[in-house]
Amino acid sequence: MGWHCTGTSWPRGGPDSGPVLGWRRDERAAGSAGTRERVSVLGYGKELGFRAEGERRCVGARGNPCPVVAVVPVRSTGARCPECARLDRAHSVAADTLADDPRPYRVYLAWFGPGMVKVGITRESRGGARLREQGAVVFGWLGRGPLMAARRTEELLRAALGVPDRIPYAGKRAVRGGLPGPVERAAEVEDLYRRAVALEGAGWPEALERLPFEAVDHGGVFGLEGLDVTAAPVRAVTGLVGGGVVAGRLVAAAGPDLYLETPSDGTVVLDTRLITGWELAGADARAGVGVPLVAVGAGGVQDGLF
């Protein structure tokens, strides 16, 4: 069996930590125990190309393979069958099933574009990796403390200030080509921070330690500063097909999205959650794109990544 992509990740590190593609191969059929994993470091300006083979199969859950190796929809960003999706969500922070988790958490404010600021929580040990995974262009920490204190703070900002805890992914992607400068985008996060800390006497959990404001900008690490999407409409991959090729030169990345400059289709965005579950083979970067595309903002953008 060949290598299967597990998608883009942003390893924990400083704000300049770049993206990697993860790969997994099941070697049990070859007599080996378990699976083998590796990563490919992604660099802007480098060529990238692959071809999907066979059918898209369920990736399993929590390190366990899907017992029936189910075929999954090509447009699904989760690449899991219903049973594995339920198992993956069990014991998750998002599903509120870890109320007794003793690890410290942080509350953050994340900016994705003008008027697109959200509040969220992440384990302190993850650092800013969670924010890069979501494609947050700027973020700042608000506080740290136990999970339930962090959750109550998140709920307080939603109720008192109308701050959402989710931003539709379609909106995030649609504005990336025309972002304001670093000063303006940091100012929007700082304004929300000041309004949030003003709530300390109005329901702010005592167990949550307020952190000083510092804006962390990912425009450079995402490669967005040099992204030119004005020459032609940006199009997005809506799903792979067996034998379909996606190839081009990597020019930017944000969250799970890779921006590829292609020979005949201009700038194409690939949500790497769409390539999980496929067996992939290498392809010439000059091959271009041989899978369905849709203009960004025209209904082809996947959702589900906060």
PDB file of all heavy atoms in Angstrom, residues 113-147:
ATOM      1  N   GLY A 113      -9.645  38.713   9.029  1.00  0.00           N
ATOM      2  CA  GLY A 113      -9.904  39.725   8.023  1.00  0.00           C
ATOM      3  C   GLY A 113     -10.711  40.833   8.657  1.00  0.00           C
ATOM      4  O   GLY A 113     -11.153  40.719   9.814  1.00  0.00           O
ATOM      5  N   PRO A 114     -10.921  41.953   7.962  1.00  0.00           N
ATOM      6  CA  PRO A 114     -11.682  43.065   8.533  1.00  0.00           C
ATOM      7  C   PRO A 114     -13.048  42.624   9.048  1.00  0.00           C
ATOM      8  O   PRO A 114     -13.840  42.022   8.328  1.00  0.00           O
ATOM      9  CB  PRO A 114     -11.820  44.025   7.342  1.00  0.00           C
ATOM     10  CG  PRO A 114     -10.614  43.727   6.489  1.00  0.00           C
ATOM     11  CD  PRO A 114     -10.419  42.244   6.604  1.00  0.00           C
ATOM     12  N   GLY A 115     -13.288  42.887  10.324  1.00  0.00           N
ATOM     13  CA  GLY A 115     -14.556  42.505  10.930  1.00  0.00           C
ATOM     14  C   GLY A 115     -14.673  41.039  11.282  1.00  0.00           C
ATOM     15  O   GLY A 115     -15.726  40.602  11.751  1.00  0.00           O
ATOM     16  N   MET A 116     -13.620  40.278  11.091  1.00  0.00           N
ATOM     17  CA  MET A 116     -13.644  38.832  11.366  1.00  0.00           C
ATOM     18  C   MET A 116     -12.709  38.511  12.533  1.00  0.00           C
ATOM     19  O   MET A 116     -11.555  38.122  12.340  1.00  0.00           O
ATOM     20  CB  MET A 116     -13.204  38.031  10.140  1.00  0.00           C
ATOM     21  CG  MET A 116     -14.113  38.150   8.952  1.00  0.00           C
ATOM     22  SD  MET A 116     -13.521  37.128   7.579  1.00  0.00           S
ATOM     23  CE  MET A 116     -14.713  37.553   6.318  1.00  0.00           C
ATOM     24  N   VAL A 117     -13.200  38.722  13.750  1.00  0.00           N
ATOM     25  CA  VAL A 117     -12.438  38.411  14.958  1.00  0.00           C
ATOM     26  C   VAL A 117     -13.252  37.439  15.791  1.00  0.00           C
ATOM     27  O   VAL A 117     -14.464  37.610  15.958  1.00  0.00           O
ATOM     28  CB  VAL A 117     -12.128  39.676  15.779  1.00  0.00           C
ATOM     29  CG1 VAL A 117     -11.186  39.342  16.940  1.00  0.00           C
ATOM     30  CG2 VAL A 117     -11.496  40.755  14.909  1.00  0.00           C
ATOM     31  N   LYS A 118     -12.602  36.422  16.308  1.00  0.00           N
ATOM     32  CA  LYS A 118     -13.298  35.421  17.118  1.00  0.00           C
ATOM     33  C   LYS A 118     -12.545  35.176  18.411  1.00  0.00           C
ATOM     34  O   LYS A 118     -11.368  35.529  18.549  1.00  0.00           O
ATOM     35  CB  LYS A 118     -13.437  34.107  16.359  1.00  0.00           C
ATOM     36  CG  LYS A 118     -12.126  33.470  15.949  1.00  0.00           C
ATOM     37  CD  LYS A 118     -12.237  31.971  15.704  1.00  0.00           C
ATOM     38  CE  LYS A 118     -12.210  31.203  17.002  1.00  0.00           C
ATOM     39  NZ  LYS A 118     -12.117  29.742  16.820  1.00  0.00           N
ATOM     40  N   VAL A 119     -13.231  34.559  19.354  1.00  0.00           N
ATOM     41  CA  VAL A 119     -12.617  34.124  20.597  1.00  0.00           C
ATOM     42  C   VAL A 119     -12.565  32.606  20.581  1.00  0.00           C
ATOM     43  O   VAL A 119     -13.437  31.941  20.011  1.00  0.00           O
ATOM     44  CB  VAL A 119     -13.422  34.639  21.819  1.00  0.00           C
ATOM     45  CG1 VAL A 119     -14.857  34.103  21.799  1.00  0.00           C
ATOM     46  CG2 VAL A 119     -12.735  34.242  23.127  1.00  0.00           C
ATOM     47  N   GLY A 120     -11.529  32.037  21.186  1.00  0.00           N
ATOM     48  CA  GLY A 120     -11.405  30.586  21.237  1.00  0.00           C
ATOM     49  C   GLY A 120     -10.478  30.165  22.355  1.00  0.00           C
ATOM     50  O   GLY A 120      -9.881  31.001  23.041  1.00  0.00           O
ATOM     51  N   ILE A 121     -10.376  28.863  22.543  1.00  0.00           N
ATOM     52  CA  ILE A 121      -9.477  28.329  23.568  1.00  0.00           C
ATOM     53  C   ILE A 121      -8.616  27.228  22.961  1.00  0.00           C
ATOM     54  O   ILE A 121      -8.997  26.583  21.985  1.00  0.00           O
ATOM     55  CB  ILE A 121     -10.257  27.781  24.786  1.00  0.00           C
ATOM     56  CG1 ILE A 121     -11.121  26.589  24.382  1.00  0.00           C
ATOM     57  CG2 ILE A 121     -11.109  28.871  25.418  1.00  0.00           C
ATOM     58  CD1 ILE A 121     -11.839  25.949  25.560  1.00  0.00           C
ATOM     59  N   THR A 122      -7.438  27.038  23.550  1.00  0.00           N
ATOM     60  CA  THR A 122      -6.528  25.990  23.115  1.00  0.00           C
ATOM     61  C   THR A 122      -5.661  25.575  24.291  1.00  0.00           C
ATOM     62  O   THR A 122      -5.455  26.364  25.230  1.00  0.00           O
ATOM     63  CB  THR A 122      -5.638  26.479  21.949  1.00  0.00           C
ATOM     64  OG1 THR A 122      -4.835  25.393  21.470  1.00  0.00           O
ATOM     65  CG2 THR A 122      -4.703  27.609  22.384  1.00  0.00           C
ATOM     66  N   ARG A 123      -5.191  24.344  24.282  1.00  0.00           N
ATOM     67  CA  ARG A 123      -4.276  23.904  25.332  1.00  0.00           C
ATOM     68  C   ARG A 123      -3.011  24.753  25.316  1.00  0.00           C
ATOM     69  O   ARG A 123      -2.464  25.055  24.250  1.00  0.00           O
ATOM     70  CB  ARG A 123      -3.889  22.443  25.146  1.00  0.00           C
ATOM     71  CG  ARG A 123      -4.965  21.450  25.481  1.00  0.00           C
ATOM     72  CD  ARG A 123      -4.383  20.053  25.738  1.00  0.00           C
ATOM     73  NE  ARG A 123      -3.395  19.675  24.754  1.00  0.00           N
ATOM     74  CZ  ARG A 123      -3.664  19.053  23.610  1.00  0.00           C
ATOM     75  NH1 ARG A 123      -4.917  18.772  23.292  1.00  0.00           N
ATOM     76  NH2 ARG A 123      -2.700  18.709  22.790  1.00  0.00           N
ATOM     77  N   GLU A 124      -2.554  25.133  26.478  1.00  0.00           N
ATOM     78  CA  GLU A 124      -1.366  25.979  26.563  1.00  0.00           C
ATOM     79  C   GLU A 124      -0.150  25.311  25.930  1.00  0.00           C
ATOM     80  O   GLU A 124       0.688  25.971  25.315  1.00  0.00           O
ATOM     81  CB  GLU A 124      -1.073  26.326  28.025  1.00  0.00           C
ATOM     82  CG  GLU A 124       0.055  27.325  28.192  1.00  0.00           C
ATOM     83  CD  GLU A 124       0.158  27.838  29.610  1.00  0.00           C
ATOM     84  OE1 GLU A 124       0.406  27.010  30.516  1.00  0.00           O
ATOM     85  OE2 GLU A 124      -0.021  29.048  29.822  1.00  0.00           O
ATOM     86  N   SER A 125      -0.065  23.994  26.032  1.00  0.00           N
ATOM     87  CA  SER A 125       1.086  23.274  25.498  1.00  0.00           C
ATOM     88  C   SER A 125       1.179  23.359  23.978  1.00  0.00           C
ATOM     89  O   SER A 125       2.244  23.114  23.400  1.00  0.00           O
ATOM     90  CB  SER A 125       1.042  21.806  25.934  1.00  0.00           C
ATOM     91  OG  SER A 125      -0.133  21.179  25.436  1.00  0.00           O
ATOM     92  N   ARG A 126       0.087  23.702  23.313  1.00  0.00           N
ATOM     93  CA  ARG A 126       0.083  23.779  21.853  1.00  0.00           C
ATOM     94  C   ARG A 126       0.641  25.094  21.341  1.00  0.00           C
ATOM     95  O   ARG A 126       0.909  25.238  20.144  1.00  0.00           O
ATOM     96  CB  ARG A 126      -1.331  23.584  21.306  1.00  0.00           C
ATOM     97  CG  ARG A 126      -1.938  22.221  21.615  1.00  0.00           C
ATOM     98  CD  ARG A 126      -2.918  21.834  20.548  1.00  0.00           C
ATOM     99  NE  ARG A 126      -2.243  21.682  19.261  1.00  0.00           N
ATOM    100  CZ  ARG A 126      -2.849  21.792  18.094  1.00  0.00           C
ATOM    101  NH1 ARG A 126      -4.132  22.098  18.038  1.00  0.00           N
ATOM    102  NH2 ARG A 126      -2.188  21.626  16.978  1.00  0.00           N
ATOM    103  N   GLY A 127       0.784  26.085  22.214  1.00  0.00           N
ATOM    104  CA  GLY A 127       1.292  27.366  21.768  1.00  0.00           C
ATOM    105  C   GLY A 127       0.393  27.955  20.698  1.00  0.00           C
ATOM    106  O   GLY A 127      -0.831  27.843  20.746  1.00  0.00           O
ATOM    107  N   GLY A 128       1.010  28.577  19.687  1.00  0.00           N
ATOM    108  CA  GLY A 128       0.231  29.200  18.627  1.00  0.00           C
ATOM    109  C   GLY A 128      -0.091  28.282  17.467  1.00  0.00           C
ATOM    110  O   GLY A 128      -0.669  28.743  16.466  1.00  0.00           O
ATOM    111  N   ALA A 129       0.250  27.000  17.564  1.00  0.00           N
ATOM    112  CA  ALA A 129       0.009  26.078  16.448  1.00  0.00           C
ATOM    113  C   ALA A 129      -1.465  26.027  16.067  1.00  0.00           C
ATOM    114  O   ALA A 129      -1.816  25.981  14.891  1.00  0.00           O
ATOM    115  CB  ALA A 129       0.517  24.680  16.800  1.00  0.00           C
ATOM    116  N   ARG A 130      -2.346  26.039  17.066  1.00  0.00           N
ATOM    117  CA  ARG A 130      -3.779  25.974  16.787  1.00  0.00           C
ATOM    118  C   ARG A 130      -4.235  27.170  15.953  1.00  0.00           C
ATOM    119  O   ARG A 130      -5.100  27.058  15.093  1.00  0.00           O
ATOM    120  CB  ARG A 130      -4.552  25.922  18.113  1.00  0.00           C
ATOM    121  CG  ARG A 130      -6.072  25.912  17.949  1.00  0.00           C
ATOM    122  CD  ARG A 130      -6.535  24.652  17.263  1.00  0.00           C
ATOM    123  NE  ARG A 130      -7.981  24.638  17.102  1.00  0.00           N
ATOM    124  CZ  ARG A 130      -8.598  24.216  16.007  1.00  0.00           C
ATOM    125  NH1 ARG A 130      -7.895  23.799  14.967  1.00  0.00           N
ATOM    126  NH2 ARG A 130      -9.907  24.197  15.943  1.00  0.00           N
ATOM    127  N   LEU A 131      -3.629  28.329  16.199  1.00  0.00           N
ATOM    128  CA  LEU A 131      -4.026  29.519  15.453  1.00  0.00           C
ATOM    129  C   LEU A 131      -3.561  29.449  14.007  1.00  0.00           C
ATOM    130  O   LEU A 131      -4.273  29.868  13.084  1.00  0.00           O
ATOM    131  CB  LEU A 131      -3.459  30.763  16.134  1.00  0.00           C
ATOM    132  CG  LEU A 131      -4.151  31.269  17.406  1.00  0.00           C
ATOM    133  CD1 LEU A 131      -5.613  31.577  17.130  1.00  0.00           C
ATOM    134  CD2 LEU A 131      -4.024  30.325  18.575  1.00  0.00           C
ATOM    135  N   ARG A 132      -2.375  28.896  13.782  1.00  0.00           N
ATOM    136  CA  ARG A 132      -1.902  28.736  12.402  1.00  0.00           C
ATOM    137  C   ARG A 132      -2.744  27.694  11.667  1.00  0.00           C
ATOM    138  O   ARG A 132      -2.998  27.816  10.472  1.00  0.00           O
ATOM    139  CB  ARG A 132      -0.420  28.355  12.400  1.00  0.00           C
ATOM    140  CG  ARG A 132       0.482  29.470  12.907  1.00  0.00           C
ATOM    141  CD  ARG A 132       1.955  29.173  12.695  1.00  0.00           C
ATOM    142  NE  ARG A 132       2.459  28.139  13.584  1.00  0.00           N
ATOM    143  CZ  ARG A 132       2.872  28.357  14.835  1.00  0.00           C
ATOM    144  NH1 ARG A 132       2.802  29.578  15.354  1.00  0.00           N
ATOM    145  NH2 ARG A 132       3.334  27.374  15.585  1.00  0.00           N
ATOM    146  N   GLU A 133      -3.175  26.651  12.386  1.00  0.00           N
ATOM    147  CA  GLU A 133      -4.031  25.632  11.772  1.00  0.00           C
ATOM    148  C   GLU A 133      -5.358  26.216  11.306  1.00  0.00           C
ATOM    149  O   GLU A 133      -5.942  25.755  10.324  1.00  0.00           O
ATOM    150  CB  GLU A 133      -4.297  24.510  12.775  1.00  0.00           C
ATOM    151  CG  GLU A 133      -3.083  23.642  13.068  1.00  0.00           C
ATOM    152  CD  GLU A 133      -3.335  22.673  14.207  1.00  0.00           C
ATOM    153  OE1 GLU A 133      -4.442  22.731  14.800  1.00  0.00           O
ATOM    154  OE2 GLU A 133      -2.442  21.873  14.516  1.00  0.00           O
ATOM    155  N   GLN A 134      -5.861  27.218  12.013  1.00  0.00           N
ATOM    156  CA  GLN A 134      -7.130  27.841  11.643  1.00  0.00           C
ATOM    157  C   GLN A 134      -6.963  28.908  10.567  1.00  0.00           C
ATOM    158  O   GLN A 134      -7.955  29.393  10.023  1.00  0.00           O
ATOM    159  CB  GLN A 134      -7.776  28.480  12.866  1.00  0.00           C
ATOM    160  CG  GLN A 134      -8.224  27.491  13.914  1.00  0.00           C
ATOM    161  CD  GLN A 134      -8.938  28.200  15.056  1.00  0.00           C
ATOM    162  OE1 GLN A 134      -9.852  28.971  14.838  1.00  0.00           O
ATOM    163  NE2 GLN A 134      -8.515  27.930  16.271  1.00  0.00           N
ATOM    164  N   GLY A 135      -5.724  29.297  10.287  1.00  0.00           N
ATOM    165  CA  GLY A 135      -5.500  30.356   9.310  1.00  0.00           C
ATOM    166  C   GLY A 135      -5.666  31.742   9.893  1.00  0.00           C
ATOM    167  O   GLY A 135      -5.949  32.698   9.161  1.00  0.00           O
ATOM    168  N   ALA A 136      -5.463  31.901  11.218  1.00  0.00           N
ATOM    169  CA  ALA A 136      -5.567  33.218  11.847  1.00  0.00           C
ATOM    170  C   ALA A 136      -4.400  34.087  11.387  1.00  0.00           C
ATOM    171  O   ALA A 136      -3.239  33.745  11.614  1.00  0.00           O
ATOM    172  CB  ALA A 136      -5.554  33.083  13.365  1.00  0.00           C
ATOM    173  N   VAL A 137      -4.697  35.203  10.766  1.00  0.00           N
ATOM    174  CA  VAL A 137      -3.640  36.094  10.282  1.00  0.00           C
ATOM    175  C   VAL A 137      -2.974  36.813  11.446  1.00  0.00           C
ATOM    176  O   VAL A 137      -1.764  37.026  11.456  1.00  0.00           O
ATOM    177  CB  VAL A 137      -4.204  37.100   9.264  1.00  0.00           C
ATOM    178  CG1 VAL A 137      -3.107  38.001   8.718  1.00  0.00           C
ATOM    179  CG2 VAL A 137      -4.891  36.359   8.113  1.00  0.00           C
ATOM    180  N   VAL A 138      -3.762  37.196  12.451  1.00  0.00           N
ATOM    181  CA  VAL A 138      -3.238  37.822  13.672  1.00  0.00           C
ATOM    182  C   VAL A 138      -3.964  37.209  14.863  1.00  0.00           C
ATOM    183  O   VAL A 138      -5.154  36.867  14.769  1.00  0.00           O
ATOM    184  CB  VAL A 138      -3.481  39.350  13.668  1.00  0.00           C
ATOM    185  CG1 VAL A 138      -2.887  39.993  14.921  1.00  0.00           C
ATOM    186  CG2 VAL A 138      -2.900  40.004  12.431  1.00  0.00           C
ATOM    187  N   PHE A 139      -3.249  37.064  15.968  1.00  0.00           N
ATOM    188  CA  PHE A 139      -3.930  36.650  17.193  1.00  0.00           C
ATOM    189  C   PHE A 139      -3.221  37.260  18.393  1.00  0.00           C
ATOM    190  O   PHE A 139      -2.078  37.718  18.318  1.00  0.00           O
ATOM    191  CB  PHE A 139      -3.979  35.117  17.325  1.00  0.00           C
ATOM    192  CG  PHE A 139      -2.727  34.487  17.875  1.00  0.00           C
ATOM    193  CD1 PHE A 139      -2.580  34.252  19.244  1.00  0.00           C
ATOM    194  CD2 PHE A 139      -1.682  34.114  17.027  1.00  0.00           C
ATOM    195  CE1 PHE A 139      -1.430  33.660  19.753  1.00  0.00           C
ATOM    196  CE2 PHE A 139      -0.535  33.521  17.526  1.00  0.00           C
ATOM    197  CZ  PHE A 139      -0.399  33.290  18.895  1.00  0.00           C
ATOM    198  N   GLY A 140      -3.926  37.268  19.517  1.00  0.00           N
ATOM    199  CA  GLY A 140      -3.346  37.697  20.783  1.00  0.00           C
ATOM    200  C   GLY A 140      -3.958  36.884  21.902  1.00  0.00           C
ATOM    201  O   GLY A 140      -5.134  36.504  21.850  1.00  0.00           O
ATOM    202  N   TRP A 141      -3.156  36.589  22.933  1.00  0.00           N
ATOM    203  CA  TRP A 141      -3.665  35.857  24.090  1.00  0.00           C
ATOM    204  C   TRP A 141      -4.470  36.792  24.975  1.00  0.00           C
ATOM    205  O   TRP A 141      -4.111  37.960  25.157  1.00  0.00           O
ATOM    206  CB  TRP A 141      -2.531  35.255  24.906  1.00  0.00           C
ATOM    207  CG  TRP A 141      -1.663  34.272  24.173  1.00  0.00           C
ATOM    208  CD1 TRP A 141      -0.325  34.378  23.927  1.00  0.00           C
ATOM    209  CD2 TRP A 141      -2.068  33.022  23.595  1.00  0.00           C
ATOM    210  NE1 TRP A 141       0.126  33.277  23.237  1.00  0.00           N
ATOM    211  CE2 TRP A 141      -0.917  32.436  23.021  1.00  0.00           C
ATOM    212  CE3 TRP A 141      -3.291  32.357  23.508  1.00  0.00           C
ATOM    213  CZ2 TRP A 141      -0.958  31.210  22.364  1.00  0.00           C
ATOM    214  CZ3 TRP A 141      -3.343  31.126  22.852  1.00  0.00           C
ATOM    215  CH2 TRP A 141      -2.178  30.564  22.295  1.00  0.00           C
ATOM    216  N   LEU A 142      -5.528  36.268  25.556  1.00  0.00           N
ATOM    217  CA  LEU A 142      -6.341  37.036  26.495  1.00  0.00           C
ATOM    218  C   LEU A 142      -6.119  36.577  27.926  1.00  0.00           C
ATOM    219  O   LEU A 142      -5.989  37.390  28.838  1.00  0.00           O
ATOM    220  CB  LEU A 142      -7.824  36.904  26.142  1.00  0.00           C
ATOM    221  CG  LEU A 142      -8.813  37.626  27.065  1.00  0.00           C
ATOM    222  CD1 LEU A 142      -8.555  39.124  27.063  1.00  0.00           C
ATOM    223  CD2 LEU A 142     -10.253  37.327  26.637  1.00  0.00           C
ATOM    224  N   GLY A 143      -6.051  35.263  28.165  1.00  0.00           N
ATOM    225  CA  GLY A 143      -5.863  34.775  29.518  1.00  0.00           C
ATOM    226  C   GLY A 143      -5.499  33.307  29.534  1.00  0.00           C
ATOM    227  O   GLY A 143      -5.515  32.642  28.494  1.00  0.00           O
ATOM    228  N   ARG A 144      -5.162  32.802  30.718  1.00  0.00           N
ATOM    229  CA  ARG A 144      -4.808  31.391  30.877  1.00  0.00           C
ATOM    230  C   ARG A 144      -5.403  30.886  32.187  1.00  0.00           C
ATOM    231  O   ARG A 144      -5.562  31.635  33.154  1.00  0.00           O
ATOM    232  CB  ARG A 144      -3.295  31.182  30.863  1.00  0.00           C
ATOM    233  CG  ARG A 144      -2.566  31.777  32.061  1.00  0.00           C
ATOM    234  CD  ARG A 144      -1.064  31.575  31.987  1.00  0.00           C
ATOM    235  NE  ARG A 144      -0.697  30.170  31.994  1.00  0.00           N
ATOM    236  CZ  ARG A 144      -0.529  29.438  33.090  1.00  0.00           C
ATOM    237  NH1 ARG A 144      -0.736  29.973  34.289  1.00  0.00           N
ATOM    238  NH2 ARG A 144      -0.160  28.178  33.013  1.00  0.00           N
ATOM    239  N   GLY A 145      -5.734  29.577  32.212  1.00  0.00           N
ATOM    240  CA  GLY A 145      -6.275  29.001  33.429  1.00  0.00           C
ATOM    241  C   GLY A 145      -6.863  27.631  33.155  1.00  0.00           C
ATOM    242  O   GLY A 145      -6.642  27.038  32.086  1.00  0.00           O
ATOM    243  N   PRO A 146      -7.642  27.102  34.080  1.00  0.00           N
ATOM    244  CA  PRO A 146      -8.277  25.787  33.892  1.00  0.00           C
ATOM    245  C   PRO A 146      -9.249  25.811  32.713  1.00  0.00           C
ATOM    246  O   PRO A 146      -9.755  26.863  32.325  1.00  0.00           O
ATOM    247  CB  PRO A 146      -9.015  25.550  35.221  1.00  0.00           C
ATOM    248  CG  PRO A 146      -8.388  26.502  36.187  1.00  0.00           C
ATOM    249  CD  PRO A 146      -7.956  27.687  35.400  1.00  0.00           C
ATOM    250  N   LEU A 147      -9.532  24.643  32.181  1.00  0.00           N
ATOM    251  CA  LEU A 147     -10.384  24.534  31.009  1.00  0.00           C
ATOM    252  C   LEU A 147     -11.739  25.201  31.209  1.00  0.00           C
ATOM    253  O   LEU A 147     -12.206  25.973  30.363  1.00  0.00           O
ATOM    254  CB  LEU A 147     -10.579  23.057  30.631  1.00  0.00           C
ATOM    255  CG  LEU A 147     -11.603  22.778  29.517  1.00  0.00           C
ATOM    256  CD1 LEU A 147     -11.219  23.494  28.223  1.00  0.00           C
ATOM    257  CD2 LEU A 147     -11.736  21.274  29.279  1.00  0.00           C
TER     258      LEU A 147
END
